[in-house]
Amino acid sequence: MSTSLLIDTSSLTYRAFHALPTSITDDEGHAVNAVRGYLDMVSTVIAELAPDTVRHCWDDAEIPEGRLAAYPAYKSQRTEPPAEITWQFDLLRRLLPALGEVIVEAEGWEADDAIGTLCAAAGDSDRVVVLTGDRDLIQLVRDPVVQVWFTVSGTKQLRRYDAAGVVDAYGVPPDRYADFAILRGDPSDGLPGIKGVGEKTARQLIGRYESLGALVADADAQTPALGRTLAASGDYVDAMLQVVPVQTGLDLTEIGPDADDDVVAELAVRHAIESPVDRWRERRAGVAS
């Protein structure tokens, strides 16, 4: 059995950036908090999991045209990322291949979609762990092949989801999580959901209907208020079915590995990340041995 670790680099870098103070800087005054947090968080998981392969999955486009065309308000509430984190993404992009790591991305799509494509390709004898801070990826859980390890707080506490864990936490199976998110909404992505439908109602409706299309078609069977809302929500549901599910059949690009000790040493010293780089190497070496 082969074990793969798929890392939602885009999500976890943001998580590390917000968990650690930007006062952690190099001698040039650049914040390096996100890079340090990412290296320590991911190497800790690698040491525990001992995966056969590791892939760092990247946003090629934070707002893909396909999702934007379906729903123009997708992520519209988000502001431009601070310069301090944009710079750190660039540093990680130089550092990870030099450390012998592989970056994966899907042209025009998000890291979620690269991860979804890799998960879809996993066979029954494979084991895949997705490390993320994005609940959207819970929809990929597939027993016994795919688990999602979700960062609960900061960069240390993880919640591990198999199918039973998803049902316990959200009251729906993983293959209906996208429907659950469409009904409930997701403010972080600018998705309002169906008016008047919270988590409890969403769970109940998913339990009664095999698809959102069937639910909308049966709007007259609901309470008057919900029935009116559902009857007017057909276009929204159709749009969300193009936005919320992750892509699973994309062409992927790999960058690296391009191991280069000299590049790693130069970047580590210049940007005050010697300690997390050393810990990374020690943990990676422990897995390899």
Side-chain angles (χ1 to χ4, degrees), residues 78-92:
R78 297 196 180 183
T79 59
E80 287 294 316
E84 294 97 329
I85 193 170
T86 300
W87 183 88
Q88 292 186 77
F89 273 114
D90 292 339
L91 175 56
L92 273 176

Side-chain angles (χ1 to χ4, degrees), residues 41-71:
M41 172 172 41
V42 174
S43 63
T44 298
V45 171
I46 288 173
E48 174 186 346
L49 184 65
D52 298 291
T53 60
V54 177
R55 295 290 183 270
H56 303 259
C57 299
W58 219 272
D59 282 343
D60 183 70
E62 187 175 355
I63 306 179
E65 289 296 327
R67 291 192 170 99
L68 194 62
Y71 188 69

